[in-house]
Amino acid sequence: MVLPALIRRSVILRIPLSSAAPVGESFHFSIFHELKSTLALSNTTETVSHRKNEKGSNRWFTLPPYTATVNGSLLGNRILKRGDQAEAEISTAAITALKWVIRCCPELPRSLVQKLFRLRKVRRGSSMIGNSECNLEARDQLKRVAAKDILNIGDQIFLPISVQVFPTEKARDYCNKEEEKFIHSLVLYKDPAILVINKPPGLPVQGGIGVKRSLDELAASCLSYDYSEPPRLVHRLDRDSSGILIMGRTSTSTSLLHSVFREKTFEASKHANHVDSEKKILQKRYWALVIGSPRRSKGLITAPLGKFVMDDGRSEQIMVIDNAESMPFQQAITRYKVIKSHHGYTWLELCPVTGRKHQLRVHCAEVLGTPIVGDYKYGWQAHRNWKPFHSNFHKNEGKKQSFPFGLDFESGSIAENNPRLHLHCKQLTLPDVSFALHNDSIDQKCSRLECLELDAPLPLYMQRSWDIING
């Protein structure tokens, strides 16, 4: 019996130690030429082999030799800055023995891997150890390795052969056929580096207390395709909001995009007075239906946010901080523009420059004075005397369509007594990571890096509200 899928895609760095890329205006994409074979996003595999002792009995599972991996955080920083003031070289990312085992063996339960390290059952050796008789003694003198030990290039990890009989952590039939088909229908875009999903309203992104099904678990079960590792979240959306959600298909592309999202928020917070001049390499555009209308048709909101613990620690609420010196806060910046205003409602385009929790909902309710329809947390006062918008347009008749996981896309427009949250991530501009890392004919500056333009249709209840207001 062989442990299935104990394989991984190798990410190999082949940059000479003496190589250096020019900086500033002369920075070119040559660094990506050298990294084309480095970021093996094509899902190449290496088979986990068995080692034998002198008597011929299998003792170890041998993982592939550790090869230097690209520092996704640094590479993401360079992409965001488009080469300006970037370092001359892309360094490699140090990796611990624990992370290497998890990356090579994604189907082994993390708890089992950690237990093996605690019991000192994991060994380290060099890839130079072969099968010849002169190396038999060296293979029998493998050194113990701790979970936090940093690997050197060429190191190999040896796991006890007994792991082959341990059951996998997650069952393959996590979703039935109907549910799997539904999850596949949410995919807007896919390339070797990323997945783009149109997140449905009402489905939580991550698991937690009282959460039976979350999007990250469903994606891991249904959207790995031919990859040995599951897709990973790059950012998050609130449970009741909807729209574009980015997931990385490899650990390197996820790390790279984490860096792009994080650095964008950091740079915007540091240079809050010069936001208008920021580079638009990453931009999210939300559509929101709000109650009332802002005083100005467009503008820039710069209002710091702080967290308040409520109900004896059972919940928390985000609020605008008037006195930034009185408590910890996070700088939050949002651009807004009126799309259409009619019948006491306004459609807004919201572009968050920073990525803070509940940023758009708080900025709309507290700064603009126009809470989002269906936001009962931050706009509860505006909903106290809520009256449905009387209209025969798109009147819902007959039996509603049913969706997996108890989701409902039809109920919740402004024509109903209990409208749902009208906040949708409709458009997103994102650096084309896969193109940059795979195309060996690019000879451009980072300022010309290709970008993806993504668009997600409105959920049905928001589309009905749009039609009602504009009808």
Side-chain angles (χ1 to χ4, degrees):
M1 177 181 178
V2 179
L3 182 66
L6 290 182
I7 56 177
R8 70 174 295 274
R9 297 187 300 286
S10 299
V11 183
I12 307 170
L13 184 60
R14 295 195 179 98
I15 301 179
L17 294 178
S18 60
S19 67
V23 297
E25 291 299 325
S26 60
F27 174 78
H28 288 269
F29 248 115
S30 59
I31 188 69
F32 294 116
H33 302 171
E34 296 175 328
L35 293 177
K36 176 178 178 290
S37 60
T38 302
L39 291 162
L41 296 172
S42 58
N43 198 35
T44 58
T45 60
E46 294 185 65
T47 304
V48 178
S49 59
H50 295 172
R51 290 290 187 193
K52 297 183 179 181
N53 63 6
E54 281 186 66
K55 298 180 181 180
S57 60
N58 291 333
R59 296 178 59 189
W60 306 104
F61 270 117
T62 307
L63 272 58
Y66 168 63
T67 52
T69 56
V70 170
N71 189 326
S73 295
L74 180 57
L75 184 56
N77 182 275
R78 296 191 68 178
I79 289 177
L80 181 64
K81 293 184 177 180
R82 299 175 183 262
D84 297 340
Q85 300 177 351
E87 297 181 20
E89 297 181 5
I90 291 183
S91 64
T92 59
I95 192 169
T96 63
L98 174 63
K99 288 184 178 180
W100 186 249
V101 173
I102 293 174
R103 183 178 299 183
C104 292
C105 311
E107 293 196 4
L108 278 182
R110 179 183 283 263
S111 58
L112 170 63
V113 176
Q114 292 171 332
K115 183 176 181 180
L116 292 175
F117 277 106
R118 288 198 305 270
L119 296 177
R120 306 181 71 189
K121 297 290 187 181
V122 186
R123 301 289 189 274
R124 170 165 60 180
S126 171
S127 61
M128 301 302 293
I129 299 177
N131 293 319
S132 61
E133 293 184 2
C134 62
N135 287 320
L136 289 175
E137 182 178 354
R139 283 188 281 130
D140 286 338
Q141 296 178 354
L142 299 174
K143 296 181 179 180
R144 291 187 176 91
V145 60
K148 295 183 179 180
D149 286 353
I150 301 298
L151 296 184
N152 299 315
I153 295 176
D155 283 354
Q156 283 185 291
I157 296 296
F158 296 80
L159 301 177
I161 193 68
S162 59
V163 299
Q164 68 175 332
V165 298
F166 200 91
T168 57
E169 188 173 35
K170 293 184 179 180
R172 287 294 182 183
D173 57 351
Y174 187 75
C175 295
N176 58 39
K177 291 184 179 180
E178 180 185 359
E179 293 170 340
E180 185 172 354
K181 182 179 179 180
F182 172 75
I183 295 299
H184 278 271
S185 71
L186 300 178
V187 177
L188 297 171
Y189 174 83
K190 173 172 70 74
D191 67 23
I194 67 170
L195 278 172
V196 181
I197 296 173
N198 186 8
K199 176 197 169 301
L203 185 63
V205 170
Q206 286 183 300
I209 299 175
V211 176
K212 294 181 179 179
R213 295 288 182 93
S214 59
L215 192 54
D216 59 342
E217 290 181 332
L218 294 170
S221 177
C222 305
L223 299 179
S224 294
Y225 296 98
D226 56 344
Y227 279 28
S228 61
E229 54 184 319
R232 300 171 174 87
L233 292 171
V234 172
H235 63 113
R236 292 159 182 80
L237 293 175
D238 292 343
R239 178 173 186 158
D240 294 325
S241 61
S242 58
I244 296 175
L245 183 74
I246 307 296
M247 303 189 81
R249 299 192 67 191
T250 69
S251 57
T252 303
S253 62
T254 304
S255 175
L256 188 157
L257 288 170
H258 273 156
S259 177
V260 171
F261 276 73
R262 182 178 59 251
E263 289 298 322
K264 181 178 185 293
T265 292
F266 175 76
E267 289 296 322
S269 301
K270 188 169 64 173
H271 306 292
N273 296 328
H274 304 284
V275 170
D276 288 334
S277 62
E278 68 158 340
K279 304 175 181 66
K280 304 291 192 304
I281 194 170
L282 174 65
Q283 188 174 53
K284 291 181 283 186
R285 298 180 185 89
Y286 287 74
W287 277 24
L289 179 61
V290 300
I291 302 172
S293 180
R295 293 181 179 179
R296 298 179 180 179
S297 61
K298 63 179 179 179
L300 181 70
I301 303 171
T302 302
L305 303 179
K307 183 189 300 183
F308 290 84
V309 178
M310 315 285 287
D311 301 327
D312 297 327
R314 291 192 296 267
S315 64
E316 61 183 30
Q317 186 150 339
I318 309 300
M319 299 180 67
V320 173
I321 304 300
D322 295 326
N323 184 3
E325 298 180 356
S326 62
M327 63 175 296
F329 70 94
Q330 291 181 319
Q331 191 66 259
I333 306 170
T334 304
R335 286 192 185 90
Y336 75 90
K337 180 177 67 175
V338 171
I339 300 174
K340 197 174 188 74
S341 184
H342 198 46
H343 298 304
Y345 299 96
T346 302
W347 284 97
L348 293 180
E349 180 185 86
L350 303 170
C351 298
V353 180
T354 55
R356 309 301 188 189
K357 182 177 180 179
H358 295 175
Q359 172 178 322
L360 300 181
R361 296 166 63 180
V362 177
H363 278 178
C364 284
E366 294 196 24
V367 179
L368 295 181
T370 56
I372 298 175
V373 171
D375 188 354
Y376 301 102
K377 184 167 188 173
Y378 298 103
W380 64 272
Q381 289 182 326
H383 289 83
R384 290 176 62 183
N385 299 315
W386 172 265
K387 293 182 180 180
F389 189 97
H390 295 290
S391 173
N392 293 324
F393 195 81
H394 271 315
K395 187 176 181 180
N396 190 18
E397 297 179 353
K399 187 177 180 180
K400 294 182 179 179
Q401 183 179 357
S402 61
F403 294 92
F405 315 115
L407 297 176
D408 178 11
F409 297 162
E410 299 183 15
S411 302
S413 73
I414 58 172
E416 301 182 35
N417 291 321
N418 298 300
R420 301 174 67 178
L421 183 67
H422 283 56
L423 180 63
H424 177 78
C425 184
K426 193 173 191 311
Q427 297 174 318
L428 191 144
T429 302
L430 184 75
D432 192 343
V433 177
S434 180
F435 180 77
L437 297 176
H438 281 83
N439 195 301
D440 57 3
S441 63
I442 297 179
D443 190 17
Q444 307 175 26
K445 295 183 180 180
C446 271
S447 59
R448 297 182 181 179
L449 175 63
E450 295 290 335
C451 287
L452 300 173
E453 298 287 343
L454 306 167
D455 188 276
L458 295 171
L460 185 56
Y461 71 91
M462 285 187 67
Q463 183 62 50
R464 284 178 173 170
S465 295
W466 172 271
D467 292 338
I468 289 171
I469 291 177
N470 297 297

